[in-house]
Amino acid sequence: MNESILITGANIGLGKETARQLALKQETKKIILFCRNPAKAEEAKKDLEEKTGKKIFEIVIGDVSDANSVRKAVEKIKGPIDAVVLNAGGMVGKTAAQITPSGMNNLAATNILGHVVLVDELLKQDKLKKVVLFISAEAVPGVKPLGMKPVSMKTSSVDEFAAVLDGSFFGKKFDVTQAYGYVKYVGTMWTLSMARKYPKLKFIVVSPGNTKGTQAPNNLPPPMRFMLKYVMMPIVFPLMGEMVHTLEVGAKRFCDGISDERYKSGVFYASKEDKLSGDMVDQSTFFTDLKNTTFQDNANEAIHHFIN
Ligand SMILES: NC(=O)c1ccc[n+]([C@@H]2O[C@H](COP(=O)([O-])OP(=O)(O)OC[C@H]3O[C@@H](n4cnc5c(N)ncnc54)[C@H](OP(=O)(O)O)[C@@H]3O)[C@@H](O)[C@H]2O)c1
C-alpha cells in the first residue's frame, strides 16, 4: 500500500498518466509532482485535479540533470514518501551530448544523476519508506526485428561505465539513439545494485514499452521523428504485433511495478524478447549481464564518481 508517491517528470507523458492512475487508487493520499518548470507543473496539477476529482497533488520543483537543484528540492519534501518513480528523462534532444557541470553528458545526467542524488538524499534523511522504481527501456536488451542491437560492453568495469556517463565510450560520433540504451543500462544496473544494498526496500526497474501519446518523439533527430510519427507508429508497429500500446497501458506498467507483489525487487521487467508491448517479463532471462552483481556494483560506483 503506497500512500505517498513522488514522480519525477510528472507534468506530461507517462509521468503525468501514472499520477492520474495512482490518484484513482483508494490508498493514495499524496502525490508529489517533481517537475523542473513551475508553470507546466501548475497546469498539470490543475488538469489532474479536474480529471481525478482528488486534491492530493503537491508540486516540488527540481531539475534532475542538476545535483544541487535536486538537493534543494529534497529539503522541501515534508514527511515520508512510500514510493518514488524515477521517470523524468528520455533522449533529451539536441543537448544530449553536452557535458554538464557534474562531468556527465546531459543524456546521462537527465536520466540518472538527479535520480541517484534524490534517492541518496531521501535515504540519508530517512524519508524513503518502501519502493524505488527506475524507468528503463527495451533499448537495453535490444529489439532484433527493428535492428536495435543489445547493449554490449567490453569489461563492464567502473571505468567503462564512467565512460558511458561522460560520453567518451562513444568516441567522436555521439549517436543519441545508441547512447540512450547504454545510459538506461547504467541506471538499471545501479537500481539492481541498490536492491542488494537495501534488502528491506523494493528497488525495481520497469520499461513502459513503446508508448503512444508522449512527448518523447519530439526529442529525436528530425528524419527519425518523422518516420516514427507517420510511418512506424501508425502503420508498421501495429502490423508486427505486440510492438506499441497506449499511454494508459504504458503507465499501468509503472503502477503495477510499485504496487503489485508479483513484481520483485532486484528485477528489470519489460516486454518479452524482441517485443515492445504485451506482458512484462524478467529481462535477465535473455539478457544475462543483468545478473552480474559485480557489473551492478561497478555501475553504482561509476555514477558516484560524478557526485560530490
Ligand atoms: N515513450 C516511450 O515509448 C518510452 C519507451 C521507453 C522508455 N521511456 C522512458 O519513460 C520515461 C518518460 O518518457 P515519456 O515518453 O513520458 O517522455 P516525455 O513525454 O518527453 O516526458 C518527459 C518528462 O521528463 C521531464 N524532464 C525532462 N528533463 C528533465 C529534467 N532535467 N528535470 C526534470 N524533469 C525533466 C519533462 O519535463 P518538461 O516538460 O519540462 O520537458 C517531462 O515531464 C523516460 O524516462 C523515457 O526514457 C519512454
Side-chain angles (χ1 to χ4, degrees):
M1 297 273 266
N2 298 306
E3 293 189 356
S4 50
I5 302 131
L6 181 150
I7 306 167
T8 66
N11 57 288
I12 200 105
L14 284 153
K16 184 180 174 197
E17 173 59 16
T18 302
R20 188 191 70 80
Q21 291 186 20
L22 291 172
L24 296 176
K25 286 183 185 265
Q26 215 173 3
E27 69 259 27
T28 309
K29 303 275 187 295
K30 177 164 89 173
I31 297 181
I32 297 176
L33 311 173
F34 188 109
C35 305
R36 61 178 160 178
N37 181 308
K40 287 187 189 177
E42 284 296 347
E43 199 186 319
K45 180 175 178 240
K46 193 165 164 273
D47 189 44
L48 285 164
E49 285 177 348
E50 277 170 19
K51 286 205 169 100
T52 62
K54 303 273 178 87
K55 296 251 180 204
I56 56 170
F57 302 97
E58 291 176 16
I59 292 170
V60 169
I61 299 299
D63 181 331
V64 294
S65 68
D66 176 347
N68 283 333
S69 164
V70 172
R71 286 189 189 104
K72 278 189 205 143
V74 173
E75 293 308 321
K76 299 204 176 87
I77 296 171
K78 291 176 225 101
I81 310 282
D82 288 330
V84 180
V85 181
L86 306 175
N87 162 77
M91 289 199 194
V92 173
K94 285 185 195 143
T95 60
Q98 280 175 16
I99 299 298
T100 66
S102 67
M104 281 192 197
N105 61 53
N106 197 27
L107 180 71
T110 305
N111 284 279
I112 298 175
L113 178 77
H115 287 147
V116 171
V117 171
L118 176 64
V119 169
D120 282 352
E121 291 297 319
L122 288 173
L123 286 170
K124 223 187 278 173
Q125 298 179 26
D126 198 23
K127 286 181 178 167
L128 178 49
K129 295 300 166 195
K130 293 180 185 164
V131 189
V132 174
L133 170 64
F134 179 78
I135 305 309
S136 192
E138 280 82 356
V140 174
V143 186
K144 281 195 274 322
L146 298 177
M148 278 166 65
K149 289 189 189 144
V151 163
S152 165
M153 300 190 49
K154 285 196 182 77
T155 58
S156 296
S157 63
V158 175
D159 285 350
E160 201 180 15
F161 279 115
V164 170
L165 298 171
D166 69 19
S168 56
F169 180 87
F170 306 103
K172 286 206 177 88
K173 199 176 167 298
F174 186 90
D175 172 357
V176 70
T177 58
Q178 181 206 12
Y180 176 71
Y182 283 80
V183 163
K184 287 294 192 188
Y185 178 55
V186 184
T188 298
M189 293 302 259
W190 163 77
T191 315
L192 305 185
S193 168
M194 293 294 276
R196 286 183 294 103
K197 203 167 164 189
Y198 294 93
K200 290 195 176 139
L201 298 177
K202 175 171 169 176
F203 274 84
I204 179 169
V205 185
V206 165
S207 167
N210 188 20
T211 304
K212 288 188 276 189
T214 82
Q215 296 300 305
N218 297 335
N219 287 323
L220 283 169
M224 243 183 223
R225 188 188 315 161
F226 181 86
M227 272 296 285
L228 188 69
K229 269 190 173 175
Y230 300 109
V231 182
M232 299 305 284
M233 285 298 215
I235 303 167
V236 180
F237 289 142
L239 288 173
M240 291 173 79
E242 294 195 322
M243 284 308 229
V244 65
H245 51 222
T246 61
L247 189 57
E248 288 78 10
V249 173
K252 184 171 182 299
R253 285 184 171 198
F254 298 174
C255 300
D256 289 347
I258 62 167
S259 308
D260 189 328
E261 286 184 5
R262 275 179 306 159
Y263 299 109
K264 305 288 180 209
S265 189
V267 179
F268 171 20
Y269 295 97
S271 310
K272 282 172 272 178
E273 192 169 13
D274 293 331
K275 294 291 177 191
L276 286 167
S277 180
D279 290 341
M280 287 204 288
V281 299
D282 176 352
Q283 301 296 289
S284 73
T285 54
F286 49 91
F287 188 75
T288 51
D289 278 5
L290 292 166
K291 289 184 190 157
N292 190 310
T293 55
T294 306
F295 296 174
Q296 294 169 4
D297 292 346
N298 287 349
N300 195 344
E301 190 180 332
I303 292 168
H304 284 92
H305 284 192
F306 297 84
I307 299 173
N308 300 316

